[in-house]
Amino acid sequence: MSIKELLQGKKHSEGITLKGWVRTFRSNRFIALNDGSTIENIQVVVDFEHTDEQLLKRITTGAAIEVNGKVVESQGKGQTIEVQASQITILGDCNPDEYPIQPKRHSLEFLRENAHLRVRTNVFGAIMRVRSTLAYAIHRYLQDHGFFYVNTPIITGSDAEGAGEMFRVTTLDAKNPPLTTEGEVDYKKDFFGRETNLTVSGQLEGETFAMSLGKIYTFGPTFRAENSNTSRHLAEFWMIEPEMAFYDLIDNMNLAEDFIKEVLRYTLEVRRDDIEFLNQRFLEEEKTKPQQERSEMSLIEKLEFVIHNDFKRVSYTDAVEILKNCNYNKKKKFQYLIDEWGVDLQSEHERYLVEKHFGCPVILYDYPAKIKAFYMRLNDDGKTVRAMDILFPGIGEIVGGSQREERYEVLKKKIADLGMKEADLWWYLDLRKFGTAVHSGFGLGFERLVLFTTGMSNIRDVIPYPRTPQNAEF
């Protein structure tokens, strides 16, 4: 039986067997045992007078043990039941002089250096259980709403975002690659016969399936070779990308809002114990910050704030006017001042709109074409595109999406104007030639969602093994 099942009151016979890892062992008598199924430990009471002394020495923090015994009402504080051990078997010893995860507070930096063991701490156990439930909630919602799950390629020849920040995939000799007569690397002699990269998005391939199956989604790893060491960027991260035929921008917004609310509602309900623990951690962390930087809401209040509030829909143009005329901008409290239409909004601007101005999640739409991707539908004004971003408290942008450009000639011109190779996107253009229709989609960065749900401040702490510049240790 798992510890979670036991604590939930699952019926058990007179005898019970538990397996897990020792968190602490006090007074040669009380073991705090955890098996990963819940944040809660079960107290195991050892009859030390009748237990071999050598065995007692092997019950150390981190050791894996099997406990046979019976469940009794607890005499101590903090738990209603405990297990009186009749037999303890050491499954795996743990040398206390070498084991880095001791029963004390460790810095997040230290735990990143021990990422293979950090999930044994309460904080990371809770984060990873929440992450798992969020992933399930995403699949559950989309499957229940008629979406088909599509696995798009990880290796691709196209750059969906047009930013060029991609990891090259090659089998050519790094020191002596074959060259063309012009002295360029001859990718025709590479494994795929052309230049290929790790994908930055499954969107383009996803669109091809949406234009046949109606509603699809991808949920997979994506890669950006952006040399950024901020607390919000990873080189490898997971993306959820729904694509819907016959959806316009309004349909897209409606779906994204309902989707996020339901995924958060379900996770808060199922992982309440873990989120309550993370909520306490969040409140303690906030106390260490300067007064002006502290959050006005607890973690649980933030989650309920999103679940229970309608998202305010505001055009980019109106948002820029609000920002340009606000006191934060006039008094130069923004790091990046807003002085003209067309600038790319930063996280500080997005958070101001959500937290200070509107007091609810915000969906910005109709962005300038020059700061958005080539595949977004051009509006009749010729200046803006049918893009939308969802902004959250404490985090800024969490979702980016758009109505896709469905007109063949318009898309062809945009590709040419941006200097992209039409030959690389012939199949994507074909969708606009053969049965084109209005269609839309969005991308949700999974780690950003986990970051928001757990109240952590660094994205490296919500993925099992973070990949960042100069770091691929595990």
Side-chain angles (χ1 to χ4, degrees), residues 205-258:
E205 293 88 349
E207 281 186 51
T208 67
F209 274 75
M211 296 304 282
S212 296
L213 298 178
K215 294 192 291 187
I216 68 93
Y217 69 103
T218 74
F219 190 164
T222 52
F223 308 84
R224 302 278 167 92
E226 184 180 357
N227 191 11
S228 173
N229 271 301
T230 76
S231 61
R232 299 170 74 241
H233 288 91
L234 291 166
E236 176 186 272
F237 56 99
W238 288 67
M239 286 277 283
I240 301 98
E241 296 175 294
E243 290 291 329
M244 299 77 65
F246 315 117
Y247 272 50
D248 64 15
L249 187 69
I250 304 301
D251 299 322
N252 203 21
M253 290 182 193
N254 293 342
L255 174 75
E257 179 173 345
D258 188 63

Coordinates of all heavy atoms in Angstrom, one line a residue, residues 205-258:
E205 N 3.4 22.1 -38.6 CA 3.0 20.7 -38.9 C 1.6 20.5 -38.3 O 0.8 19.8 -38.8 CB 4.0 19.7 -38.3 CG 5.3 19.8 -39.0 CD 6.3 20.7 -38.4 OE1 5.9 21.6 -37.5 OE2 7.5 20.7 -38.7
G206 N 1.3 21.1 -37.1 CA 0.0 20.9 -36.4 C -1.1 21.5 -37.3 O -2.2 20.9 -37.4
E207 N -0.8 22.6 -38.0 CA -1.8 23.2 -38.9 C -2.3 22.2 -40.0 O -3.4 22.2 -40.3 CB -1.3 24.5 -39.5 CG -1.4 25.7 -38.6 CD -1.0 27.0 -39.3 OE1 -1.5 27.2 -40.4 OE2 -0.1 27.7 -38.8
T208 N -1.3 21.5 -40.5 CA -1.6 20.5 -41.6 C -2.6 19.5 -41.1 O -3.5 19.0 -41.9 CB -0.4 19.8 -42.1 OG1 0.2 18.9 -41.1 CG2 0.7 20.8 -42.6
F209 N -2.5 19.1 -39.8 CA -3.4 18.1 -39.3 C -4.8 18.7 -38.9 O -5.8 18.1 -39.1 CB -2.8 17.4 -38.1 CG -2.0 16.2 -38.4 CD1 -0.7 16.4 -39.0 CD2 -2.4 14.9 -38.3 CE1 0.1 15.4 -39.3 CE2 -1.6 13.8 -38.6 CZ -0.3 14.1 -39.2
A210 N -4.8 20.0 -38.4 CA -6.0 20.6 -38.1 C -6.9 20.8 -39.4 O -8.1 20.7 -39.3 CB -5.7 22.0 -37.5
M211 N -6.2 21.0 -40.5 CA -6.9 21.2 -41.8 C -7.4 19.9 -42.4 O -7.9 19.9 -43.5 CB -6.1 22.0 -42.8 CG -5.7 23.4 -42.3 SD -7.2 24.4 -41.9 CE -7.7 24.9 -43.6
S212 N -7.3 18.8 -41.6 CA -7.8 17.5 -42.0 C -8.7 17.0 -40.9 O -9.8 16.4 -41.2 CB -6.7 16.5 -42.3 OG -6.0 16.9 -43.4
L213 N -8.2 17.1 -39.6 CA -8.9 16.5 -38.5 C -9.8 17.4 -37.8 O -10.6 17.0 -36.9 CB -7.9 15.8 -37.5 CG -7.0 14.7 -38.1 CD1 -6.1 14.2 -37.0 CD2 -7.9 13.5 -38.6
G214 N -9.7 18.7 -38.1 CA -10.5 19.7 -37.4 C -9.9 20.4 -36.2 O -9.6 21.6 -36.2
K215 N -9.7 19.6 -35.1 CA -9.1 20.1 -33.9 C -8.1 19.2 -33.4 O -8.3 18.0 -33.2 CB -10.2 20.3 -32.8 CG -11.2 21.4 -33.1 CD -12.1 21.7 -31.9 CE -13.0 20.6 -31.5 NZ -13.9 21.0 -30.4
I216 N -6.8 19.7 -33.3 CA -5.7 18.9 -32.9 C -4.9 19.6 -31.8 O -5.1 20.8 -31.7 CB -4.8 18.4 -34.0 CG1 -4.0 19.6 -34.6 CG2 -5.6 17.7 -35.1 CD1 -2.7 19.9 -34.1
Y217 N -4.0 18.9 -31.1 CA -3.1 19.6 -30.3 C -1.8 18.8 -30.2 O -1.7 17.6 -30.4 CB -3.6 19.8 -28.9 CG -3.7 18.5 -28.0 CD1 -2.8 18.2 -27.0 CD2 -4.8 17.7 -28.2 CE1 -3.0 17.1 -26.3 CE2 -5.0 16.5 -27.5 CZ -4.0 16.2 -26.5 OH -4.2 15.1 -25.7
T218 N -0.7 19.5 -30.1 CA 0.6 18.9 -29.8 C 1.0 19.2 -28.4 O 0.6 20.2 -27.8 CB 1.7 19.5 -30.8 OG1 2.1 20.8 -30.3 CG2 1.2 19.6 -32.2
F219 N 1.8 18.3 -27.8 CA 2.3 18.5 -26.5 C 3.7 17.8 -26.4 O 3.8 16.6 -26.3 CB 1.4 17.9 -25.4 CG 1.7 18.2 -24.0 CD1 0.7 18.0 -23.0 CD2 2.9 18.8 -23.6 CE1 1.0 18.3 -21.7 CE2 3.1 19.1 -22.3 CZ 2.2 18.9 -21.3
G220 N 4.7 18.6 -26.7 CA 6.0 18.0 -26.8 C 7.1 19.0 -26.5 O 6.9 20.2 -26.3
P221 N 8.4 18.5 -26.6 CA 9.5 19.4 -26.3 C 9.8 20.3 -27.5 O 9.7 20.0 -28.6 CB 10.7 18.4 -26.1 CG 10.3 17.2 -26.9 CD 8.8 17.1 -26.9
T222 N 10.3 21.5 -27.1 CA 10.7 22.5 -28.2 C 12.0 23.1 -27.7 O 12.3 23.1 -26.5 CB 9.6 23.6 -28.4 OG1 9.3 24.2 -27.1 CG2 8.4 23.1 -29.0
F223 N 12.7 23.7 -28.6 CA 14.1 24.1 -28.3 C 14.4 25.5 -28.9 O 14.1 25.8 -30.0 CB 15.1 23.1 -28.9 CG 14.8 21.7 -28.6 CD1 13.8 21.0 -29.3 CD2 15.4 21.1 -27.5 CE1 13.6 19.6 -28.9 CE2 15.2 19.8 -27.1 CZ 14.2 19.1 -27.9
R224 N 15.0 26.4 -28.0 CA 15.4 27.7 -28.5 C 16.9 27.9 -28.1 O 17.3 27.8 -26.9 CB 14.6 28.8 -27.8 CG 13.1 28.7 -28.1 CD 12.7 29.3 -29.4 NE 11.3 28.8 -29.7 CZ 10.2 29.5 -29.4 NH1 10.3 30.7 -28.8 NH2 9.0 29.1 -29.7
A225 N 17.7 28.2 -29.1 CA 19.1 28.5 -28.9 C 19.4 29.9 -28.5 O 20.2 30.6 -29.1 CB 20.0 28.0 -30.1
E226 N 18.6 30.5 -27.6 CA 18.7 31.9 -27.2 C 19.6 31.9 -26.0 O 19.4 31.3 -25.0 CB 17.3 32.4 -26.8 CG 17.2 33.8 -26.5 CD 15.8 34.3 -26.1 OE1 14.9 33.5 -26.2 OE2 15.7 35.5 -25.7
N227 N 20.7 32.7 -26.1 CA 21.7 32.8 -25.1 C 21.2 33.7 -23.9 O 21.6 34.8 -23.7 CB 23.0 33.3 -25.6 CG 24.1 33.1 -24.6 OD1 24.0 32.4 -23.6 ND2 25.3 33.7 -24.9
S228 N 20.2 33.1 -23.2 CA 19.5 33.9 -22.1 C 19.7 33.2 -20.8 O 19.4 32.0 -20.7 CB 18.1 34.1 -22.5 OG 17.4 34.7 -21.4
N229 N 20.1 33.9 -19.8 CA 20.2 33.3 -18.5 C 19.2 33.8 -17.5 O 19.4 33.8 -16.3 CB 21.6 33.5 -17.9 CG 22.6 32.4 -18.3 OD1 22.3 31.2 -18.0 ND2 23.6 32.8 -19.1
T230 N 18.0 34.3 -18.0 CA 17.0 34.8 -17.1 C 16.3 33.7 -16.4 O 16.3 32.6 -16.8 CB 16.0 35.7 -17.9 OG1 15.1 34.9 -18.6 CG2 16.7 36.7 -18.8
S231 N 15.5 34.1 -15.4 CA 14.7 33.1 -14.6 C 13.4 32.7 -15.4 O 12.7 31.8 -14.9 CB 14.2 33.8 -13.3 OG 13.4 34.9 -13.5
R232 N 13.2 33.1 -16.6 CA 12.0 32.8 -17.4 C 12.4 32.0 -18.7 O 11.4 31.8 -19.5 CB 11.2 34.1 -17.7 CG 10.7 34.8 -16.5 CD 10.2 36.2 -16.8 NE 8.9 36.1 -17.4 CZ 8.6 36.5 -18.6 NH1 9.5 37.1 -19.4 NH2 7.3 36.5 -19.1
H233 N 13.6 31.7 -18.9 CA 14.0 31.1 -20.2 C 14.7 29.8 -20.0 O 15.5 29.6 -19.1 CB 14.9 32.0 -21.0 CG 14.2 33.2 -21.6 ND1 14.1 34.4 -20.9 CD2 13.5 33.4 -22.7 CE1 13.4 35.3 -21.6 NE2 13.0 34.7 -22.7
L234 N 14.4 28.8 -20.9 CA 15.0 27.5 -21.0 C 15.4 27.3 -22.4 O 14.7 27.8 -23.3 CB 14.1 26.4 -20.5 CG 13.8 26.4 -19.0 CD1 12.6 25.4 -18.7 CD2 15.0 25.9 -18.2
A235 N 16.4 26.5 -22.6 CA 16.8 26.1 -24.0 C 15.9 24.9 -24.5 O 15.7 24.7 -25.7 CB 18.3 25.7 -24.1
E236 N 15.4 24.1 -23.5 CA 14.5 23.0 -23.9 C 13.3 23.1 -22.9 O 13.5 23.2 -21.7 CB 15.3 21.7 -23.6 CG 14.4 20.5 -23.8 CD 15.1 19.2 -23.4 OE1 15.8 18.6 -24.2 OE2 15.0 18.8 -22.2
F237 N 12.1 23.2 -23.5 CA 10.9 23.3 -22.7 C 9.8 22.6 -23.5 O 9.9 22.3 -24.6 CB 10.6 24.8 -22.5 CG 10.5 25.6 -23.7 CD1 9.3 26.0 -24.2 CD2 11.7 26.1 -24.3 CE1 9.2 26.8 -25.4 CE2 11.6 26.9 -25.5 CZ 10.3 27.2 -26.0
W238 N 8.7 22.5 -22.8 CA 7.5 21.8 -23.4 C 6.4 22.8 -23.8 O 6.2 23.8 -23.1 CB 7.0 20.7 -22.4 CG 8.0 19.6 -22.3 CD1 9.2 19.6 -21.8 CD2 7.8 18.3 -22.8 NE1 9.8 18.4 -21.9 CE2 8.9 17.5 -22.5 CE3 6.7 17.6 -23.4 CZ2 9.1 16.2 -22.8 CZ3 6.8 16.3 -23.8 CH2 8.0 15.6 -23.5
M239 N 5.8 22.5 -24.9 CA 4.7 23.4 -25.4 C 3.4 22.6 -25.7 O 3.5 21.5 -26.2 CB 5.2 24.1 -26.7 CG 6.2 25.1 -26.5 SD 5.5 26.7 -26.1 CE 4.8 27.3 -27.7
I240 N 2.3 23.2 -25.3 CA 1.0 22.7 -25.7 C 0.5 23.6 -26.8 O 0.4 24.9 -26.6 CB 0.0 22.7 -24.5 CG1 0.6 21.9 -23.4 CG2 -1.4 22.2 -25.0 CD1 1.2 22.7 -22.3
E241 N 0.2 23.1 -28.0 CA -0.2 23.9 -29.1 C -1.5 23.4 -29.8 O -1.4 22.5 -30.7 CB 1.0 24.0 -30.1 CG 2.2 24.6 -29.6 CD 3.4 24.6 -30.5 OE1 3.9 23.5 -30.8 OE2 3.8 25.7 -31.0
P242 N -2.6 23.8 -29.4 CA -3.9 23.4 -30.1 C -4.0 24.2 -31.4 O -3.6 25.4 -31.5 CB -5.0 23.9 -29.1 CG -4.3 24.2 -27.8 CD -2.9 24.6 -28.2
E243 N -4.5 23.6 -32.4 CA -4.8 24.2 -33.7 C -6.2 23.8 -34.1 O -6.6 22.6 -34.1 CB -3.8 23.8 -34.8 CG -2.4 24.3 -34.6 CD -2.3 25.8 -34.8 OE1 -3.0 26.4 -35.6 OE2 -1.4 26.4 -34.1
M244 N -7.0 24.8 -34.5 CA -8.4 24.5 -34.8 C -8.9 25.1 -36.1 O -8.7 26.3 -36.4 CB -9.3 25.2 -33.7 CG -9.1 24.7 -32.3 SD -7.6 25.3 -31.5 CE -8.0 27.1 -31.4
A245 N -9.4 24.2 -37.0 CA -10.0 24.7 -38.3 C -11.3 25.4 -38.0 O -12.0 25.0 -37.0 CB -10.2 23.5 -39.2
F246 N -11.6 26.4 -38.8 CA -12.8 27.2 -38.7 C -13.0 28.0 -37.5 O -14.1 28.5 -37.2 CB -14.0 26.2 -38.9 CG -13.9 25.2 -40.0 CD1 -13.8 23.8 -39.7 CD2 -13.7 25.6 -41.3 CE1 -13.7 22.9 -40.7 CE2 -13.5 24.7 -42.3 CZ -13.5 23.3 -42.0
Y247 N -11.9 28.2 -36.7 CA -11.9 29.1 -35.5 C -11.3 30.4 -35.9 O -10.2 30.5 -36.5 CB -11.1 28.5 -34.4 CG -11.8 27.6 -33.4 CD1 -12.5 26.5 -33.9 CD2 -11.6 27.7 -32.1 CE1 -13.2 25.7 -33.0 CE2 -12.3 26.9 -31.2 CZ -13.0 25.8 -31.7 OH -13.6 25.0 -30.8
D248 N -12.0 31.5 -35.6 CA -11.4 32.8 -35.8 C -10.8 33.3 -34.4 O -10.7 32.5 -33.5 CB -12.5 33.9 -36.3 CG -13.6 34.1 -35.3 OD1 -13.5 33.8 -34.1 OD2 -14.6 34.7 -35.7
L249 N -10.3 34.5 -34.4 CA -9.6 35.0 -33.2 C -10.4 35.0 -31.9 O -10.0 34.6 -30.8 CB -9.0 36.4 -33.4 CG -8.1 36.9 -32.3 CD1 -6.8 36.1 -32.3 CD2 -7.8 38.4 -32.4
I250 N -11.7 35.3 -32.1 CA -12.6 35.3 -30.9 C -12.8 33.9 -30.4 O -12.8 33.7 -29.2 CB -14.0 36.0 -31.3 CG1 -13.8 37.4 -31.8 CG2 -14.9 36.0 -30.0 CD1 -13.1 38.3 -30.9
D251 N -13.0 32.9 -31.3 CA -13.2 31.5 -30.9 C -11.9 31.1 -30.2 O -11.9 30.3 -29.2 CB -13.4 30.6 -32.1 CG -14.6 31.0 -32.9 OD1 -15.6 31.3 -32.2 OD2 -14.6 30.9 -34.1
N252 N -10.8 31.5 -30.7 CA -9.4 31.2 -30.1 C -9.3 31.7 -28.7 O -8.9 31.0 -27.8 CB -8.4 31.8 -31.0 CG -7.0 31.1 -30.9 OD1 -6.9 29.9 -30.5 ND2 -6.0 31.8 -31.3
M253 N -9.7 32.9 -28.5 CA -9.7 33.5 -27.1 C -10.6 32.8 -26.2 O -10.2 32.5 -25.0 CB -10.1 35.0 -27.2 CG -9.1 36.0 -27.9 SD -9.9 37.6 -27.7 CE -8.9 38.5 -28.9
N254 N -11.8 32.5 -26.6 CA -12.8 31.8 -25.8 C -12.2 30.4 -25.3 O -12.4 30.1 -24.2 CB -14.1 31.6 -26.5 CG -14.8 32.9 -26.8 OD1 -14.5 34.0 -26.2 ND2 -15.7 32.9 -27.7
L255 N -11.7 29.7 -26.3 CA -11.1 28.4 -26.0 C -10.0 28.5 -25.0 O -9.9 27.8 -24.0 CB -10.7 27.7 -27.2 CG -9.9 26.3 -27.0 CD1 -10.9 25.3 -26.6 CD2 -9.1 25.9 -28.1
A256 N -9.0 29.4 -25.2 CA -7.8 29.5 -24.4 C -8.2 29.9 -23.0 O -7.7 29.3 -22.0 CB -6.9 30.5 -25.0
E257 N -9.2 30.8 -22.8 CA -9.6 31.2 -21.5 C -10.2 30.0 -20.7 O -9.9 29.7 -19.6 CB -10.5 32.4 -21.5 CG -11.0 32.8 -20.2 CD -11.9 34.1 -20.2 OE1 -11.8 34.8 -21.3 OE2 -12.5 34.4 -19.2
D258 N -11.2 29.3 -21.4 CA -11.8 28.2 -20.7 C -10.9 27.1 -20.4 O -10.9 26.5 -19.3 CB -13.0 27.7 -21.6 CG -13.9 26.7 -20.9 OD1 -14.5 27.1 -19.9 OD2 -13.9 25.5 -21.3

